[in-house]
Amino acid sequence: MSKRIGQVGVVACAAVFLAGCATSGNPKDPMEGFNRAMYSVHDGIDTVLLKPVATGYDAVLPNPVQTGVTNFFSNIGDLMISVNNLLQGKVNDAISDFGRVAVNTTVGMFGLIDIASDVGIPKHDEDFGQTFGRWGADSGAYVFIPVFGPRTVRDTAGLAFDLWADPLGQIDHVPTRNTVRGVKAVNTRANLLPADKVIEEAAIDKYSYIRDAYLQNRRSLVYDGNPPARSADE
Amino acid sequence: MKWLFALLSPLVLAAGVSAAELSPDELVKSVTEEVLTIVRNDKDIQSGNARKAVALVEVKVLPHFNFMRMTQLAVGREWRNASATQQKVLSEEFKTLLVRTYSKALTEYRNQSIEYKPFALKAGETEARVRTLVKQASSAKPIELDYSLELQSSGWKVFDIEVAGVSLVTNYRDSFGAEIRNNGIDGLIKVLQTKNNGAAADKK
């Protein structure tokens, strides 16, 4: 347990440290220089390791199997989504998320099949970063973390809590835990391959395209798809 | 000379009237379903044939978009400092970029189904937002796909698309703004042209 608190501490300290870093022209991305360096690091790791492994995984695994893997991790994720909805005061959503876990873990064979969606219990998307946002925490500066990808200061703190609360972290057998987390990471990356190609086509500057898409998407998520309107010039 | 116009008018009417009569939600639905039906039955597009996907988008989707307004939104406040010629070139290049992006997304389409959310248009309104949901095969959360439309003489035209809260148009504003600050409007035009020409070269 103390080790896990330690992990949270390290990430939280990193967030505070990063928040105090040097400034650039863009108010949303004051640490742009540092972030771009981290992005290159990430891009390098992704190009030589993550993407090739994910591409192989995507090519080898039949689609239904891949869907099963995605569903399995998604089902475990629903547990903390339920908790986060509860923390945000959305009791009905929290109950519905818990219902998803109950249905999918049993009828859906340990989460491999997403029966809940079929019977009309929709999947939500919540995490601690969104919960903090809902509580009124400003997103803070943009931060790019290699391997984990785009975050803000608030979402970095959220990530620390997400990792700390992740049920997969409860697996005591270390090699098993690492394997499970590895499969999850590869599966997540494989699911992003189509988006990759579209971004490649769309972006004139991939770094800022990903940054601005992330910030818009998070803003939308905090408000569950209905963010207050912004002025046209903002 | 007039007979020439007479010859053309039925065509123009046939193309114009049908779209002009549709309400925003009907328009989005009919275009989406038509395009997706074609993609579902076209193995070439599914396996990534970019030229075919672009052709499909140009014929079926382009006529319902207002690229001038889109470009204006993407460029932001610098738009009014651009000359009429620059605005025209910018919107042509931005159109090419968006068509390529949209086509690429179509080649990645894998039997997701679309749900159209309830839509109501108040009398006299000239702007509307049509909300749809893209449902995935796996238990991934459905993705919101929203269209903003405005009423023009030729019918409703799309001027913004938001995917999961991300506007495909205003997402460019910061990078376009940075480019204009550094290299002017012509600098941005050049960047777009290079990007589009590079993408075209890749396809050959």
Side-chain angles (χ1 to χ4, degrees):
Chain A
M1 194 63 186
S2 66
K3 200 181 112 212
R4 291 174 66 216
I5 290 172
Q7 282 176 358
V8 175
V10 168
V11 184
C13 287
V16 173
F17 163 73
L18 290 170
C21 265
T23 55
S24 78
N26 190 330
K28 289 180 292 187
D29 190 6
M31 306 173 286
E32 184 167 347
F34 176 78
N35 282 337
R36 278 191 188 268
M38 289 300 108
Y39 175 74
S40 323
V41 171
H42 172 86
D43 207 38
I45 300 172
D46 189 62
T47 309
V48 302
L49 186 67
L50 301 180
K51 198 172 173 183
V53 173
T55 308
Y57 170 92
D58 190 52
V60 170
L61 235 57
N63 278 342
V65 179
Q66 214 173 316
T67 302
V69 175
T70 302
N71 289 348
F72 177 78
F73 288 115
S74 164
N75 183 46
I76 294 171
D78 278 339
L79 209 56
M80 286 318 292
I81 290 173
S82 175
V83 170
N84 274 295
N85 265 325
L86 200 61
L87 290 173
Q88 295 174 34
K90 293 182 281 187
V91 179
N92 288 339
D93 283 355
I95 293 171
S96 142
D97 293 329
F98 193 76
R100 281 182 58 83
V101 179
V103 171
N104 284 341
T105 307
T106 53
V107 192
M109 301 205 298
F110 302 105
L112 291 177
I113 308 168
D114 180 16
I115 306 278
S117 287
D118 293 340
V119 299
I121 315 175
K123 171 93 183 166
H124 295 124
D125 180 347
E126 301 294 345
D127 51 53
F128 277 101
Q130 291 181 53
T131 299
F132 298 155
R134 197 70 172 210
W135 289 351
D138 196 55
S139 61
Y142 179 72
V143 185
F144 197 97
I145 310 173
V147 183
F148 287 102
R151 288 289 186 285
T152 57
V153 171
R154 181 193 72 208
D155 292 341
T156 306
L159 171 67
F161 278 87
D162 290 336
L163 290 174
W164 172 69
D166 181 10
L168 295 180
Q170 305 290 347
I171 304 173
D172 281 333
H173 189 243
V174 175
T176 310
R177 184 172 69 215
N178 290 342
T179 309
V180 171
R181 282 203 158 145
V183 172
K184 186 185 177 188
V186 171
N187 185 66
T188 306
R189 184 65 187 86
N191 285 340
L192 288 174
L193 289 171
D196 239 20
K197 293 183 198 158
V198 177
I199 291 175
E200 202 71 56
E201 199 75 41
I204 55 169
D205 171 19
K206 261 176 92 178
Y207 169 82
S208 65
Y209 196 87
I210 291 171
R211 175 191 65 204
D212 296 335
Y214 176 77
L215 294 174
Q216 283 196 66
N217 175 244
R218 292 299 290 182
R219 187 166 183 277
S220 166
L221 282 175
V222 167
Y223 293 100
D224 291 329
N226 296 301
R230 277 173 293 194
S231 69
D233 251 10
E234 195 187 326
Chain B
M1 263 314 262
K2 265 193 177 147
W3 61 272
L4 254 177
F5 290 104
L7 207 68
L8 285 169
S9 62
L11 288 173
V12 174
L13 282 177
V17 165
S18 63
E21 279 175 348
L22 292 176
S23 64
D25 56 325
E26 289 167 345
L27 178 71
V28 167
K29 190 169 181 177
S30 74
V31 173
T32 305
E33 292 304 326
E34 188 181 8
V35 168
L36 290 188
T37 307
I38 294 171
V39 175
R40 274 186 208 116
N41 295 314
D42 193 321
K43 291 273 175 286
D44 290 344
I45 292 180
Q46 286 168 25
S47 55
N49 185 325
R51 197 166 305 163
K52 251 183 132 172
V54 167
L56 174 63
V57 171
E58 280 177 345
V59 174
K60 298 291 182 194
V61 183
L62 272 194
H64 307 294
F65 279 22
N66 178 357
F67 283 103
M68 209 51 143
R69 172 108 188 248
M70 283 180 157
T71 316
Q72 181 182 352
L73 279 171
V75 172
R77 69 189 75 189
E78 290 292 335
W79 180 253
R80 61 181 100 105
N81 298 332
S83 71
T85 322
Q86 283 174 323
Q87 290 183 350
K88 196 164 181 301
V89 180
L90 270 178
S91 73
E92 278 302 314
E93 293 299 333
F94 192 49
K95 173 162 96 180
T96 307
L97 182 63
L98 285 184
V99 167
R100 282 183 200 289
T101 307
Y102 203 96
S103 316
K104 190 75 196 177
L106 278 185
T107 64
E108 298 297 325
Y109 171 78
R110 293 291 177 270
N111 276 323
Q112 292 94 336
S113 63
I114 314 286
E115 182 189 310
Y116 301 87
K117 294 194 189 169
F119 176 85
L121 187 68
K122 289 188 208 105
E125 267 187 327
T126 55
E127 286 203 357
R129 197 178 171 88
V130 177
R131 293 169 177 271
T132 71
L133 269 184
V134 183
K135 297 186 157 179
Q136 312 290 314
S138 73
S139 62
K141 189 190 160 216
I143 297 165
E144 298 106 2
L145 182 55
D146 297 348
Y147 301 84
S148 296
L149 300 95
E150 63 175 347
L151 185 59
Q152 294 194 327
S153 52
S154 52
W156 289 90
K157 302 287 171 195
V158 173
F159 67 88
D160 196 5
I161 301 177
E162 274 187 28
V163 186
V166 181
S167 158
L168 295 186
V169 174
T170 58
N171 205 47
Y172 286 100
R173 199 174 276 173
D174 279 354
S175 50
F176 281 12
E179 193 55 45
I180 292 174
R181 264 195 309 285
N182 295 332
N183 302 308
I185 288 162
D186 285 330
L188 175 60
I189 290 174
K190 209 168 160 205
V191 165
L192 286 172
Q193 282 170 339
T194 312
K195 166 86 188 169
N196 288 335
N197 291 338
D202 285 348
K203 299 295 173 301
K204 277 165 196 157

Short mmCIF file of all heavy atoms in Angstrom, two decimals, chain A residues 1-10 164 169 171-172 174 177-178 181:
data_model
loop_
_atom_site.label_atom_id
_atom_site.label_comp_id
_atom_site.label_asym_id
_atom_site.label_seq_id
_atom_site.Cartn_x
_atom_site.Cartn_y
_atom_site.Cartn_z
N MET A 1 0.83 -1.21 0.00
CA MET A 1 0.00 0.00 0.00
C MET A 1 0.87 1.26 0.00
O MET A 1 0.65 2.19 -0.76
CB MET A 1 -0.91 -0.04 1.23
CG MET A 1 -2.05 0.96 1.19
SD MET A 1 -3.19 0.64 -0.16
CE MET A 1 -4.25 2.05 0.00
N SER A 2 1.91 1.25 0.84
CA SER A 2 2.73 2.46 0.93
C SER A 2 3.42 2.72 -0.40
O SER A 2 3.63 3.88 -0.79
CB SER A 2 3.76 2.32 2.04
OG SER A 2 4.69 1.30 1.70
N LYS A 3 3.74 1.65 -1.12
CA LYS A 3 4.39 1.83 -2.41
C LYS A 3 3.46 2.57 -3.38
O LYS A 3 3.88 3.41 -4.15
CB LYS A 3 4.79 0.47 -2.99
CG LYS A 3 5.86 0.57 -4.06
CD LYS A 3 6.23 -0.79 -4.63
CE LYS A 3 5.76 -0.87 -6.06
NZ LYS A 3 5.37 -2.20 -6.44
N ARG A 4 2.17 2.20 -3.26
CA ARG A 4 1.22 2.82 -4.19
C ARG A 4 0.99 4.28 -3.84
O ARG A 4 0.85 5.12 -4.72
CB ARG A 4 -0.08 2.04 -4.20
CG ARG A 4 0.14 0.67 -4.85
CD ARG A 4 -1.06 -0.21 -4.76
NE ARG A 4 -2.16 0.32 -5.53
CZ ARG A 4 -3.41 0.20 -5.14
NH1 ARG A 4 -3.69 -0.35 -4.00
NH2 ARG A 4 -4.36 0.64 -5.88
N ILE A 5 1.00 4.58 -2.57
CA ILE A 5 0.89 5.98 -2.18
C ILE A 5 2.11 6.73 -2.70
O ILE A 5 2.02 7.85 -3.20
CB ILE A 5 0.76 6.12 -0.65
CG1 ILE A 5 -0.61 5.60 -0.22
CG2 ILE A 5 0.94 7.57 -0.21
CD1 ILE A 5 -0.80 5.49 1.26
N GLY A 6 3.26 6.05 -2.67
CA GLY A 6 4.48 6.62 -3.21
C GLY A 6 4.33 6.99 -4.68
O GLY A 6 4.68 8.09 -5.10
N GLN A 7 3.73 6.07 -5.44
CA GLN A 7 3.52 6.33 -6.87
C GLN A 7 2.70 7.59 -7.07
O GLN A 7 3.02 8.45 -7.89
CB GLN A 7 2.77 5.16 -7.52
CG GLN A 7 3.64 3.96 -7.81
CD GLN A 7 2.83 2.80 -8.37
OE1 GLN A 7 1.61 2.90 -8.50
NE2 GLN A 7 3.49 1.72 -8.70
N VAL A 8 1.61 7.70 -6.30
CA VAL A 8 0.75 8.86 -6.41
C VAL A 8 1.56 10.12 -6.12
O VAL A 8 1.50 11.10 -6.84
CB VAL A 8 -0.43 8.78 -5.41
CG1 VAL A 8 -1.25 10.06 -5.45
CG2 VAL A 8 -1.30 7.58 -5.73
N GLY A 9 2.37 10.02 -5.06
CA GLY A 9 3.18 11.17 -4.67
C GLY A 9 4.10 11.62 -5.79
O GLY A 9 4.18 12.81 -6.10
N VAL A 10 4.77 10.67 -6.45
CA VAL A 10 5.71 11.01 -7.50
C VAL A 10 5.00 11.73 -8.63
O VAL A 10 5.43 12.80 -9.08
CB VAL A 10 6.43 9.74 -8.03
CG1 VAL A 10 7.18 10.06 -9.31
CG2 VAL A 10 7.36 9.19 -6.97
N TRP A 164 -3.77 4.56 -9.00
CA TRP A 164 -3.82 4.11 -7.61
C TRP A 164 -5.07 3.26 -7.36
O TRP A 164 -5.03 2.24 -6.69
CB TRP A 164 -3.80 5.33 -6.69
CG TRP A 164 -4.04 5.01 -5.25
CD1 TRP A 164 -3.19 4.34 -4.41
CD2 TRP A 164 -5.19 5.32 -4.47
NE1 TRP A 164 -3.75 4.23 -3.16
CE2 TRP A 164 -4.97 4.82 -3.18
CE3 TRP A 164 -6.39 6.01 -4.74
CZ2 TRP A 164 -5.91 4.97 -2.15
CZ3 TRP A 164 -7.32 6.15 -3.74
CH2 TRP A 164 -7.08 5.64 -2.45
N GLY A 169 -4.32 -3.08 -10.30
CA GLY A 169 -3.20 -2.90 -9.38
C GLY A 169 -3.31 -3.80 -8.16
O GLY A 169 -2.34 -3.97 -7.42
N ILE A 171 -3.78 -6.96 -8.28
CA ILE A 171 -3.21 -8.30 -8.53
C ILE A 171 -1.87 -8.38 -7.84
O ILE A 171 -0.95 -7.62 -8.13
CB ILE A 171 -3.05 -8.54 -10.05
CG1 ILE A 171 -4.39 -8.35 -10.76
CG2 ILE A 171 -2.48 -9.93 -10.32
CD1 ILE A 171 -4.30 -8.40 -12.28
N ASP A 172 -1.75 -9.32 -6.88
CA ASP A 172 -0.54 -9.38 -6.05
C ASP A 172 0.65 -10.01 -6.78
O ASP A 172 1.78 -9.64 -6.55
CB ASP A 172 -0.82 -10.15 -4.75
CG ASP A 172 -1.55 -9.27 -3.74
OD1 ASP A 172 -1.36 -8.04 -3.83
OD2 ASP A 172 -2.33 -9.80 -2.92
N VAL A 174 3.19 -10.22 -9.18
CA VAL A 174 3.72 -9.13 -10.00
C VAL A 174 3.82 -9.47 -11.50
O VAL A 174 3.38 -8.68 -12.34
CB VAL A 174 5.08 -8.64 -9.44
CG1 VAL A 174 5.68 -7.59 -10.36
CG2 VAL A 174 4.89 -8.09 -8.03
N ARG A 177 0.42 -9.29 -12.95
CA ARG A 177 -0.06 -7.92 -13.02
C ARG A 177 0.58 -7.20 -14.20
O ARG A 177 -0.10 -6.50 -14.98
CB ARG A 177 0.27 -7.17 -11.72
CG ARG A 177 -0.30 -5.76 -11.69
CD ARG A 177 -0.13 -5.13 -10.33
NE ARG A 177 1.26 -4.85 -10.02
CZ ARG A 177 1.79 -4.95 -8.80
NH1 ARG A 177 1.05 -5.33 -7.78
NH2 ARG A 177 3.06 -4.66 -8.61
N ASN A 178 1.89 -7.37 -14.35
CA ASN A 178 2.58 -6.70 -15.45
C ASN A 178 2.09 -7.19 -16.82
O ASN A 178 1.94 -6.40 -17.75
CB ASN A 178 4.09 -6.89 -15.33
CG ASN A 178 4.65 -6.12 -14.15
OD1 ASN A 178 4.00 -5.20 -13.63
ND2 ASN A 178 5.84 -6.50 -13.70
N ARG A 181 -1.38 -5.73 -17.46
CA ARG A 181 -1.28 -4.31 -17.82
C ARG A 181 -0.67 -4.12 -19.21
O ARG A 181 -1.05 -3.22 -19.95
CB ARG A 181 -0.48 -3.56 -16.77
CG ARG A 181 -1.30 -3.29 -15.51
CD ARG A 181 -0.73 -2.13 -14.74
NE ARG A 181 -1.73 -1.53 -13.87
CZ ARG A 181 -1.46 -1.02 -12.67
NH1 ARG A 181 -0.24 -1.03 -12.20
NH2 ARG A 181 -2.42 -0.48 -11.96
#
